[in-house]
Amino acid sequence: MHNSLIVFSLLVLVAVNLAAGGAPAALVPSVTATLQPAPALYVLSRSGTVTRVSLSGDKQTIIQGAFPAAFQLANDRIYVGNYIRKSRRYQILVYSLDGALLQTVDIYPGGGFLNFATLPDGGFALLDNIGDKVYFTDAAGRLVATTKMLRQQDNQAQNVSAIVDNGSLILSEDGDKRVLTIDLATHMASIFSDLRSLPGAGLGQIAFSDGTYYLSTADTIYTISRTNRAKKIARLPKGNITGLVISGDVAYACVNFTGEIYKVNLGDGTISVFASGLDFPTGLGFSQ
């Protein structure tokens, strides 16, 4: 009965408004509610597929056809790299957490990257592991500045991963097992942490949470600081780690060769398999 009265009342208001020359949309606006997806992990695979993995382990494919190397999740948006072979141009595609394409950013001609990081001003830091350089762009993909990782490029293809903290880009690595910090105002680089004493051939993924920096090598997760000290958290049973995110007292790390995501308790270092059956994951993000 109440619903019938409400509908009747709305129809009367619309009729009155039309008689007065008004628009019914002003009285009965169309409102589309967008529900925020539940907290979940987002995984990029070598096939270009982005899979959402819920905290209960359920998997859902939400994006297909992305460039498989570059991926970041920030500001409730999914950013993936895309390479157009015909024109030899790079793009960064911006999606909603449900996989709807929101924006296409065309990178300036000649600009390339293995990985990238989003910047507070809407631009991007493009990480070139072959030329050992970081290219800074504006939000439209136009080149703003270039910073060298090494004084002279070494023609070795190291892993590159970066985060932004307190006005600086923290980059792993420069090709010589050193983490760099690059001031986003001046684009000047300096050594954040020299980790050449760590075992393994090179450094891997970097993450940040609650004032603590985390870093992976091929199979081990550490905390690091400016004192050049690294504290071991856990060593995974399998490598190679290609993605690392922190949520509270838990670290999630994806391993490309096994197609798994491991869950690591940061307090006691215990390890469990959180998800499996992924197609060679190459990037990992988390949305609260």
Side-chain angles (χ1 to χ4, degrees):
M1 182 64 180
H2 290 297
N3 289 338
S4 299
L5 287 174
I6 292 172
V7 172
F8 177 78
S9 299
L10 288 173
L11 290 173
V12 171
L13 286 172
V14 171
V16 171
N17 196 54
L18 286 172
L27 285 174
V28 191
S30 176
V31 178
T32 301
T34 302
L35 297 178
Q36 180 76 3
L41 292 165
Y42 292 77
V43 190
L44 177 66
S45 297
R46 64 179 169 184
S47 61
T49 296
V50 176
T51 302
R52 180 164 58 208
V53 185
S54 72
L55 296 188
S56 61
D58 296 327
K59 291 179 286 188
Q60 177 186 9
T61 299
I62 58 170
I63 298 172
Q64 291 181 309
F67 181 59
F71 172 83
Q72 188 176 32
L73 196 151
N75 305 315
D76 290 332
R77 294 289 184 268
I78 301 170
Y79 298 82
V80 294
N82 185 47
Y83 179 65
I84 305 173
R85 295 183 184 275
K86 186 176 181 179
S87 60
R88 297 183 180 180
R89 292 283 298 271
Y90 285 82
Q91 297 175 326
I92 294 178
L93 308 178
V94 187
Y95 296 87
S96 71
L97 293 179
D98 284 325
L101 181 62
L102 303 176
Q103 184 183 4
T104 298
V105 180
D106 292 313
I107 301 302
Y108 65 95
F113 54 87
L114 175 69
N115 207 344
F116 63 86
T118 57
L119 302 177
D121 64 358
F124 302 92
L126 310 179
L127 313 179
D128 177 4
N129 67 332
I130 301 297
D132 293 322
K133 294 177 182 178
V134 180
Y135 304 104
F136 293 92
T137 78
D138 61 14
R142 295 170 296 211
L143 182 63
V144 173
T146 301
T147 301
K148 292 182 178 180
M149 299 182 193
L150 296 170
R151 291 183 179 179
Q152 184 175 0
Q153 71 180 73
D154 59 7
N155 297 315
Q156 297 182 21
Q158 76 272 22
N159 293 317
V160 281
S161 171
I163 57 169
V164 173
D165 177 52
N166 196 28
S168 295
L169 184 80
I170 313 299
L171 167 69
S172 168
E173 61 162 304
D174 66 350
D176 199 17
K177 294 184 72 174
R178 295 178 299 192
V179 176
L180 300 182
T181 177
I182 303 176
D183 187 288
L184 293 180
T186 65
H187 302 109
M188 297 296 292
S190 58
I191 297 174
F192 177 86
S193 189
D194 188 334
L195 299 171
R196 286 177 287 184
S197 62
L198 282 185
L203 307 180
Q205 306 300 306
I206 191 166
F208 176 79
S209 179
D210 294 331
T212 301
Y213 298 92
Y214 299 84
L215 182 78
S216 73
T217 56
D219 60 3
T220 306
I221 299 172
Y222 299 87
T223 59
I224 63 170
S225 68
R226 293 180 183 268
T227 62
N228 298 335
R229 292 185 178 180
K231 179 183 177 182
K232 180 179 175 181
I233 299 295
R235 182 178 181 181
L236 303 188
K238 301 287 180 63
N240 184 41
I241 297 173
T242 53
L244 178 67
V245 295
I246 311 298
S247 175
D249 59 356
V250 171
Y252 296 94
C254 63
V255 174
N256 55 3
F257 293 131
T258 65
E260 295 172 315
I261 299 175
Y262 286 93
K263 182 177 180 179
V264 180
N265 185 306
L266 296 175
D268 58 17
T270 54
I271 303 168
S272 60
V273 175
F274 174 75
S276 60
L278 298 164
D279 176 27
F280 204 86
T282 60
L284 185 66
F286 183 77
S287 175
Q288 296 284 0

